[in-house]
């Protein structure tokens, strides 16, 4: 039998045991790295999306529009499938430029009522910049996905490594058992001359 122990090491601890311990330590380190990477990616996503939202905010303007007709219901392709209340409105932006469009309005809006709209620099209707809460959720999601991906990859690699170690250990055990078993059980080992009488 080959002595694969290091000097001063526990005599009952085999190389396979040490390798398993190293693999588990590597997985713990990979999880720590995954958390650090997730935080860094989430922070970068938060910073980048915040800058983009600030840039978009500079080109969004809130105007007061006046309803010029009655409301109606419009069924859109949205995920809720609920009808949206819309009405034709007019507004002026930039100064001296008139716009009119049918836009979503609060229920109960009547002709002559005013509604607030987001418009771009040309005065066309536009979406509002994303809210800080939406940006935070998106940044957290990206960071969590990155951390989870790294941890899952590390876990898969460690699992493969442990399976390899277990397979080698099982083969070594079988080989050692073949040498020890005949003496341990008191049975003669089959081979040349074993049946000679």
């Amino acid at each position: 039998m080959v002595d694969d122990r290091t000097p001063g090491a526990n005599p009952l601890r085999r190389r396979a045991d040490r390798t398993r311990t190293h693999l588990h330590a590597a997985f713990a380190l990979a999880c720590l790295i995954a958390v650090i990477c997730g935080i860094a990616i989430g922070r970068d996503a938060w910073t980048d999306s915040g800058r983009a939202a600030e840039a978009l905010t500079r080109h969004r303007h809130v105007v007061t529009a006046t309803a010029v007709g009655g409301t109606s219901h419009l069924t859109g392709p949205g995920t809720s499938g609920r009808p949206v209340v819309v009405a034709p409105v007019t507004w002026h932006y930039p100064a001296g430029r008139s716009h009119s469009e049918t836009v979503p309005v609060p229920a109960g809006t009547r002709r002559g009522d005013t509604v607030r709209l987001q418009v771009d620099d040309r005065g066309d209707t536009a979406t509002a910049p994303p809210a800080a809460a939406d940006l935070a959720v998106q940044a957290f999601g990206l960071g969590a996905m990155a951390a989870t991906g790294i941890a899952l990859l590390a876990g898969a690699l460690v699992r493969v490594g442990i399976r390899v170690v277990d397979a080698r250990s099982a083969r070594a055990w079988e080989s050692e058992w073949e040498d020890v078993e005949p003496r341990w059980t008191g049975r003669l080992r089959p081979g040349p001359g074993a049946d000679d009488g």
Side-chain angles (χ1 to χ4, degrees), residues 26-169:
F27 179 67
L29 180 62
C31 288
L32 178 63
I33 291 170
V35 169
I36 292 169
C37 288
I39 290 170
I41 288 170
R43 189 194 68 216
D44 288 347
W46 168 261
T47 303
D48 292 346
S49 60
R51 285 184 189 135
E54 285 176 15
L56 185 62
T57 300
R58 288 192 291 273
H59 299 285
R60 294 293 183 262
H61 313 281
V62 177
V63 297
T64 302
T66 305
V68 293
T71 61
S72 61
H73 290 80
L74 176 68
T75 304
T79 56
S80 66
R82 295 188 316 229
V84 176
V85 177
V86 295
V89 298
T90 62
W91 66 93
H92 298 281
Y93 190 90
R97 187 164 179 205
S98 178
H99 296 270
S100 62
E101 191 174 330
T102 300
V103 298
V105 295
T109 301
R110 295 175 300 195
R111 173 178 281 196
D113 288 349
T114 58
V115 294
R116 295 172 68 79
L117 293 178
Q118 290 272 346
V119 297
D120 60 18
D121 290 334
R122 293 183 318 219
D124 298 328
T125 56
T127 59
D134 294 335
L135 298 177
V137 168
Q138 182 182 15
F140 177 79
L142 286 173
M145 283 180 7
T148 301
I150 293 169
L152 287 175
L153 178 62
L157 292 173
V158 167
R159 183 171 174 89
V160 168
I162 288 175
R163 289 181 73 112
V164 168
V165 168
D166 288 345
R168 286 182 184 161
S169 182

